[in-house]
Amino acid sequence: MQNTTQQLNDTLISKSLTTADYVPTLDAMLARTLARIDLKKQQGLRTPDELWIVDHNDVYTLGQAGKEEHILQRTNTPIIKTDRGGQVTWHGHGQLVIYWLFDLNSLGWSVRNLVSHAEQAIEDVINDCLQNPASSDTTAISAHARRDAPGVYLYADTSVADDKMMLGKMASLGFKIKHGFSYHGIALNLNCDLSAFNAINPCGYAGMQMLRLSDFTAMQKESDEQTGEALSYEQVTQKLIDNIAKRHAGLIELRALAPK
């Protein structure tokens, strides 16, 4: 597992982890969060918040209240019980995972603010990427969050005014809050193999269609040279990091929440 650290602003750093196993990453994330909590309680120190950009080795994770019945078949992929919210999901190569290690009280954010910022950052980036479609299909497709089910979903315009048809889910969320500090975060499917989701009810929703960005916008394959208009995994990652950093700095305000 390799990692690099980058200073994004005075109070935010990013840390990139490649080919990361889940349990050591979770242990490190929890240890860092507990250390930050202790520094704040004992010394009143505000430590920089952290974004962990993670490329996970294949794993299924089951949230704190996760139900085993949402695992439809056992495969060779490990199943790890974890302490985030939500049900079961998959992480692996071609999926962008970003963990938000934020001091919510210092930011003045509620848990609802955190979730909304996460969803809206993903919406912004997906909708920006969709300006460069993967096909000649002229159907207008856009990304939106839902009040009734955390995450970000793709919708296609229909012939009925203001009516949109949900195509499926492209990004999942699951956070844990401890003494006002968040950890865990978001997972966005870029160019991963979606067949891993066939073994589960993703996030506890039977029949939920999971989507990936590369089916809706031109994205490079790993072996490709940087050519033409096709987006790379790294470019999409940087777009999302930039958006989150602006929100963290107060430069992007929350929009009104999605209707129920």
Side-chain angles (χ1 to χ4, degrees):
M1 182 171 71
Q2 296 177 324
N3 67 76
T4 57
T5 302
Q6 181 182 0
Q7 189 87 27
L8 298 176
N9 60 43
D10 290 345
T11 55
L12 183 63
I13 63 175
S14 71
K15 180 176 176 181
S16 297
L17 306 173
T18 59
T19 58
D21 287 331
Y22 187 80
V23 172
T25 307
L26 174 61
D27 289 348
M29 184 165 52
L30 177 57
R32 180 62 192 139
T33 300
L34 292 174
R36 295 182 69 205
I37 291 168
D38 191 56
L39 281 167
K40 189 170 186 180
K41 280 187 173 178
Q42 303 301 327
Q43 302 177 40
L45 290 180
R46 181 182 181 184
T47 48
D49 288 335
E50 301 181 15
L51 289 175
W52 287 22
I53 320 304
V54 185
D55 163 44
H56 269 304
N57 293 323
D58 281 21
V59 66
Y60 292 108
T61 68
L62 195 61
Q64 212 160 23
K67 297 177 181 176
E68 294 274 345
E69 64 252 35
H70 292 305
I71 300 167
L72 305 179
Q73 65 186 84
R74 303 282 169 160
T75 67
N76 293 328
T77 301
I79 301 168
I80 307 294
K81 184 86 173 174
T82 190
D83 61 347
R84 61 162 172 78
Q87 291 286 331
V88 65
T89 194
W90 169 86
H91 299 312
H93 304 303
Q95 181 190 68
L96 172 58
V97 172
I98 302 185
Y99 295 133
W100 300 45
L101 282 67
F102 282 11
D103 176 351
L104 299 183
N105 294 334
S106 291
L107 285 171
W109 287 11
S110 65
V111 177
R112 179 68 250 180
N113 291 156
L114 172 71
V115 171
S116 295
H117 273 299
E119 290 176 332
Q120 291 181 19
I122 298 166
E123 287 175 356
D124 288 350
V125 170
I126 293 176
N127 287 325
D128 180 59
C129 293
L130 289 174
Q131 303 303 310
N132 186 28
S135 72
S136 57
D137 186 352
T138 56
T139 303
I141 295 173
S142 52
H144 303 279
R146 291 168 49 176
R147 286 294 297 277
D148 61 336
V152 178
Y153 304 78
L154 285 197
Y155 291 83
D157 285 351
T158 69
S159 55
V160 180
D162 297 326
D163 189 31
K164 294 181 182 293
M165 177 179 67
M166 194 185 82
L167 303 176
K169 185 174 189 177
M170 189 171 282
S172 304
L173 283 79
F175 289 99
K176 174 73 174 178
I177 313 298
K178 196 178 284 287
H179 298 286
F181 284 75
S182 67
Y183 58 107
H184 292 282
I186 64 177
L188 170 59
N189 300 325
L190 297 186
N191 51 10
C192 51
D193 181 354
L194 294 174
S195 64
F197 288 105
N198 295 339
I200 60 173
N201 288 329
C203 304
Y205 291 95
M208 173 61 72
Q209 180 66 46
M210 297 301 288
L211 307 174
R212 60 183 181 181
L213 187 60
S214 59
D215 288 330
F216 297 88
T217 191
M219 281 194 72
Q220 297 170 30
K221 296 183 172 63
E222 280 189 41
S223 57
D224 286 353
E225 295 283 330
Q226 176 75 43
T227 55
E229 298 298 316
L231 289 162
S232 68
Y233 182 101
E234 291 74 21
Q235 284 172 319
V236 179
T237 300
Q238 195 58 54
K239 283 175 184 283
L240 193 47
I241 293 170
D242 291 346
N243 190 289
I244 297 168
K246 287 178 181 174
R247 291 171 180 278
H248 183 273
L251 301 176
I252 299 179
E253 295 185 1
L254 285 174
R255 298 186 287 274
L257 293 182
K260 289 187 178 180

